[in-house]
Amino acid sequence: MSAPAPMQRFVQLALDFLSGADAPAAEPPPRRVQDPSPGVPAEPMEVVFQPGVWRHPRANRRVQLAGCEVAYEFKRGKRRTIGLSVSQEGLSVRAPRWTTVGEVDSLLFSKSDWVLDKLQRARERSQQLAQARTVWADGAPFDWLGRRVLLRLDPTHDFRQAGAVLERADMSADDSEQALILRLGLSVLASEAQIRDAAQAWLMREARRVFEERLAHFAPLLGVQWRVLRLSSAGTRWGSASADGTIRLNWRLVHLSLDMIDYVVVHELSHLRHMDHSPQFWDVVASVMPDHAARRRALRESPLAAGG
């Protein structure tokens, strides 16, 4: 006679506890690579060592999904359902205290395509961010309002405003879009940290100027009033809005084109009408920006130009 369902769950939880449910699963036996036969080329490195390995820095469990090893962070807590989230660090799983490891594995197997797709996208995103990172030095390029700017150190320049000035490069008359140069009043021996701080100080001043202009433009169109603008440097959020009229915008948006900046501005201002993402909220956004979905996609695909 089988035990009642509650008793089965209790027994499974007890077994999980005694076997170390939150400890990493047993490692699979190492793959044996045979010596190549004479005259036969050895397997390429990328074949022998498969790239399908995903490891969270705080991983405490592992699972095999579609032939890929996924080492993930697993935690139990006060929640009603199993939650999966993927970031640039990797996969994190949160589960109710009473959930068995078998139930977690079953969910991961059923969601394996989604998990692996999200992990691949996160890896590509991380690579984009690494490639976009600015190495702050004389001649370094960076983006400002979607345009390329070259950084020049010029301690002899007669600066009148905060030690930085944006200039157009000397180019022939038939150039449709002239290159831009940001001159900083720093020695050519300045450290990367000094150059970064000076350039980012200018960028933050520009961000405030541009954001205030766009807020002033869109607020009347949306029938809302914002009270104060605060610049944010959050790593994962472009902006936020509070019911008291405070708008927070990530200053790094100033690297992106005005179309994407406007989307974030309209998004946050629309929250002053609806503090959620209900259909009514998106109707407010669409009332002044019918192409908001395309702008949102472009924003998601654009790495932060400054990197860090």
Side-chain angles (χ1 to χ4, degrees):
M1 183 181 212
S2 60
M7 180 61 71
Q8 289 179 335
R9 183 178 294 275
F10 175 78
V11 171
Q12 182 63 55
L13 285 171
L15 291 173
D16 287 345
F17 175 78
L18 293 174
S19 62
D22 292 344
E27 294 190 15
R31 176 184 175 184
R32 182 180 179 185
V33 181
Q34 297 181 346
D35 294 333
S37 302
V40 179
E43 288 183 299
M45 189 70 71
E46 62 268 21
V47 173
V48 176
F49 297 98
Q50 294 292 335
V53 176
W54 312 90
R55 183 174 299 280
H56 194 289
R58 295 181 297 279
N60 54 4
R61 284 200 60 77
R62 284 189 297 273
V63 67
Q64 291 285 334
L65 299 179
C68 298
E69 179 183 300
V70 180
Y72 61 93
E73 180 188 35
F74 178 63
K75 288 186 178 181
R76 300 183 190 274
K78 294 181 179 180
R79 50 181 304 130
R80 296 181 179 179
T81 59
I82 302 173
L84 310 179
S85 64
V86 176
S87 68
Q88 292 180 25
E89 289 188 314
L91 172 65
S92 295
V93 179
R94 302 290 185 269
R97 298 187 186 281
W98 59 80
T99 304
T100 66
V101 172
E103 290 173 311
V104 173
D105 287 345
S106 294
L107 178 64
L108 289 174
F109 292 142
S110 68
K111 299 286 186 180
S112 60
D113 289 344
W114 179 90
V115 170
L116 294 175
D117 178 66
K118 290 295 185 181
L119 286 170
Q120 181 61 35
R121 288 174 181 267
R123 177 173 288 178
E124 292 172 356
R125 172 74 172 175
S126 180
Q127 292 171 346
Q128 289 176 345
L129 289 173
Q131 292 172 358
R133 180 185 179 276
T134 298
V135 178
W136 297 103
D138 186 42
F142 65 93
D143 290 334
W144 168 77
L145 298 183
R147 295 190 59 183
R148 209 61 166 166
V149 179
L150 295 180
L151 193 62
R152 293 298 182 194
L153 305 185
D154 189 356
T156 65
H157 196 285
D158 181 22
F159 294 99
R160 298 180 180 179
Q161 291 186 351
V165 62
L166 187 69
E167 299 177 344
R168 295 186 182 277
D170 293 331
M171 301 182 70
S172 58
D174 58 353
D175 286 313
S176 58
E177 184 175 312
Q178 291 183 314
L180 298 173
I181 292 177
L182 179 67
R183 295 190 181 276
L184 297 177
L186 292 175
S187 165
V188 293
L189 300 178
S191 68
E192 181 178 1
Q194 290 174 316
I195 299 170
R196 180 199 63 214
D197 291 347
Q200 289 186 352
W202 179 83
L203 284 166
M204 292 177 76
R205 290 193 298 272
E206 282 293 293
R208 180 170 292 279
R209 177 186 66 81
V210 173
F211 297 166
E212 288 180 346
E213 288 179 357
R214 306 318 292 164
L215 287 167
H217 172 76
F218 284 109
L221 299 178
L222 292 165
V224 298
Q225 290 185 335
W226 58 282
R227 186 177 62 85
V228 62
L229 167 66
R230 299 192 187 282
L231 297 184
S232 163
S233 58
T236 58
R237 296 191 67 180
W238 290 117
S240 63
S242 301
D244 64 0
T246 299
I247 302 293
R248 290 177 174 82
L249 297 175
N250 194 317
W251 69 265
R252 292 184 176 88
L253 279 167
V254 78
H255 290 289
L256 306 180
S257 69
L258 201 59
D259 283 349
M260 286 185 272
I261 294 174
D262 282 351
Y263 166 75
V264 179
V265 168
V266 168
H267 186 111
E268 302 310 333
L269 285 175
S270 296
H271 276 310
L272 300 183
R273 295 272 299 274
H274 298 280
M275 298 298 290
D276 54 28
H277 290 101
S278 62
Q280 293 78 11
F281 166 81
W282 291 111
D283 287 344
V284 173
V285 175
S287 69
V288 298
M289 192 170 284
D291 62 341
H292 63 85
R295 298 192 193 206
R296 185 184 185 191
R297 284 193 298 270
L299 183 64
R300 285 182 169 180
E301 294 169 0
S302 298
L304 289 175

